[in-house]
Amino acid sequence: MKSKLWTLVALFVVISTLAAQCAAPATVVVTKEVEKVVTQEVDKVVTKEVEKVVTKEVEVEKEVVVTPTPEAKPFEGVEVNILTFTGPQIAEPLQRRGPDFTELTGAKINVIVVPFNELYQKILTDLATGTNSFDAFVFAPQWMVDYIVPGYLEDLTDRVAADEALQWDDIAPFFRNFSATYEGRIYTIPLDGDFQMAYYRSDLLEQEGLAPPETWEDYLNIAKTFHGRDLNGDGDPDYGSCISKKRGAQAYWMVWSVAGAFLQSQGTSQGAFFDTETMEPLVNNEAFAAALDVYNETTKYGPPDELNLDVGDTRGLFTSGRCALSIDWGDIGTLAIDPETSVVQDKVGAVILPGSPRVLDRATGKLVDCDEATCPYATNGVNHAPYAAFGGWSGGINAAADPKVKDAAYAFFSYMSQPAQSNVDVTIGITGFNPYRISQFLNRQLWVEAGMSPEAASNYLGAIEESLNSPNMVLDLRIPQNQRYQQVVLDTALSQFLAGEITRDEAMQQIYDGWEEITEELGREDQLNAYLGTLGISK
């Protein structure tokens, strides 16, 4: 544009100059005409070039207008440190879904893991010392009382009430009211539902014409029948029963899955750990002795290293076809359908924990036969007491965390628990998450799509539902320092008994004395009131 314009301007100047010098009329006329022409041409060029510039500016302006501004993510730059146990169960879904949550919200989720036997104390120490290295925790809800009473855990009641996406009413009442709530306030978000059940190889029982175990005597007979046989076709002898019994792990829950049927027969409010009048431990009587005998005998039909096996080990043995029976949470049901690791797809049955036709008379400490008075909830004369062991892994938040971090931590736990995520995770064996939402029991298609046959889905979910709906369900111990009662005193005595280091009666006395010592130290009346409160009894 510049070269053409300046050429015309120069021409105009030259002609004007010549005209002035000649001063001839004709020349003047010519000069005016030329001036007019040149001026018109200059105007045309300028107009066109200006139009081009303006057009480009408009186009640029249009481009700026139509380019959307990226929407800010609510937790951009926020990091949430969550502590749980090594896993891979429980940690796996948190780690897998963390990046998805980051993409949605901007919050970075860091999952820190420690061995199970260190988790309770690691949480307590971090909170009590004010170190506050962790913003949130995924832990056993039965421990919550030790974190709530001192004010370490965030009260989530108002958040839950305002959170429609969580669909709180879809969470089964037991997990809402027992696993998540303390004294009417909500402190954790359930991510998992836990009940212990008996698993059996349905193909093996069918071959022998045997029914699933209804009593613990049935369990022992089935275990004895199959122990030493080749159960998976690899030519090696296998095992009648596989039960985790490793010290310092999660095995101490297993013995109460056996003992509950002998100790509690009058309904959930009767309790299975302590006498509800005196807080005396229910561990030094004929009923607990019978339970220890059963528990010990199962070891005869287990792997030679059963005392060193954690739940992950026994689950692997079962899904590889090496066990006829097992006691476990809901994990085996979903692990059994994994085509990459399981050889027992559609060969697994689940049933409510076996029961006992004889139960404890608390007045005498003796075993008595079941009748309508002693076992009002019995089926076919057998008292069943399904054990809500552990209560289901749940997420809680450090009350001392930064407010923005607390918001992000809550949003993550809500995200993990919402049906869109949890309905998938509970069907995957490696997650360790078991069903806890009402919809997860009603929608059998979820399980069929995951790989279960309709029959297997009905059997698996039916066993959990029967346990969940039992009026004689055994609630796990949830009183101050329950971890010392169970994970220290009980676990130690059991491991010594199973190893043959102490007798059955010595084990019972050791547990009794250890529990009494803790109760006296913490205050018998306070501990009794806490125990009654967990059973729904007001004194």
Side-chain angles (χ1 to χ4, degrees), residues 34-235:
V34 171
E35 180 182 356
K36 182 178 180 181
V37 171
V38 172
T39 302
Q40 289 175 345
E41 289 301 316
V42 170
D43 288 344
K44 288 179 183 178
V45 172
V46 172
T47 300
K48 287 181 180 179
E49 294 303 326
V50 170
E51 285 178 353
K52 288 181 182 178
V53 172
V54 172
T55 300
K56 286 182 179 179
E57 288 179 349
V58 170
E59 287 175 353
V60 170
E61 186 176 354
K62 286 181 178 178
E63 287 177 4
V64 173
V65 170
V66 299
T67 302
T69 302
E71 186 176 348
K73 296 177 179 178
F75 302 119
E76 194 71 58
V78 176
E79 290 196 28
V80 182
N81 295 320
I82 299 176
L83 180 67
T84 191
F85 97 115
T86 306
Q89 301 86 7
I90 312 307
E92 186 277 336
L94 302 175
Q95 294 163 334
R96 170 167 46 84
R97 292 199 180 276
D100 295 337
F101 184 75
T102 302
E103 183 65 26
L104 289 170
T105 69
K108 183 180 179 183
I109 303 299
N110 303 316
V111 180
I112 301 95
V113 298
V114 296
F116 179 78
N117 64 339
E118 298 177 15
L119 182 59
Y120 165 87
Q121 193 60 49
K122 186 80 170 178
I123 296 173
L124 186 60
T125 300
D126 188 69
L127 294 171
T129 60
T131 305
N132 297 320
S133 302
F134 310 106
D135 308 304
F137 316 92
V138 177
F139 61 99
Q142 66 167 160
W143 301 339
M144 71 164 71
V145 62
D146 289 342
Y147 309 144
I148 292 171
V149 172
Y152 300 145
L153 282 190
E154 181 82 352
D155 186 332
L156 305 179
T157 309
D158 293 341
R159 295 177 190 264
V160 169
D163 188 355
E164 293 184 7
L166 181 58
Q167 297 186 34
W168 188 249
D169 289 342
D170 183 45
I171 296 174
F174 170 75
F175 301 112
R176 288 202 314 265
N177 300 330
F178 186 79
S179 299
T181 303
Y182 182 75
E183 294 188 344
R185 306 294 292 178
I186 298 168
Y187 289 91
T188 71
I189 302 301
L191 303 173
D192 165 46
D194 280 335
F195 270 90
Q196 293 211 324
M197 301 180 289
Y199 290 93
Y200 59 91
R201 281 280 298 279
S202 54
D203 59 327
L204 299 179
L205 268 61
E206 185 177 349
Q207 291 171 16
E208 295 292 329
L210 297 173
E214 187 174 11
T215 66
W216 285 108
E217 184 178 0
D218 294 338
Y219 186 98
L220 293 174
N221 288 335
I222 294 170
K224 184 177 181 179
T225 298
F226 292 105
H227 187 63
R229 293 192 192 182
D230 178 11
L231 305 181
N232 62 359
D234 65 0

Side-chain angles (χ1 to χ4, degrees), residues 47 65 156 171 177 182 185 215 248 259 264 296 313 348 352 360 379 397 442 466-467 503 535:
T47 300
V65 170
L156 305 179
I171 296 174
N177 300 330
Y182 182 75
R185 306 294 292 178
T215 66
Q264 179 181 293
N296 191 39
D313 303 314
V348 178
I352 190 172
L360 176 66
T379 302
I397 298 172
L442 296 178
E466 186 177 1
S467 303
T503 67
L535 299 175

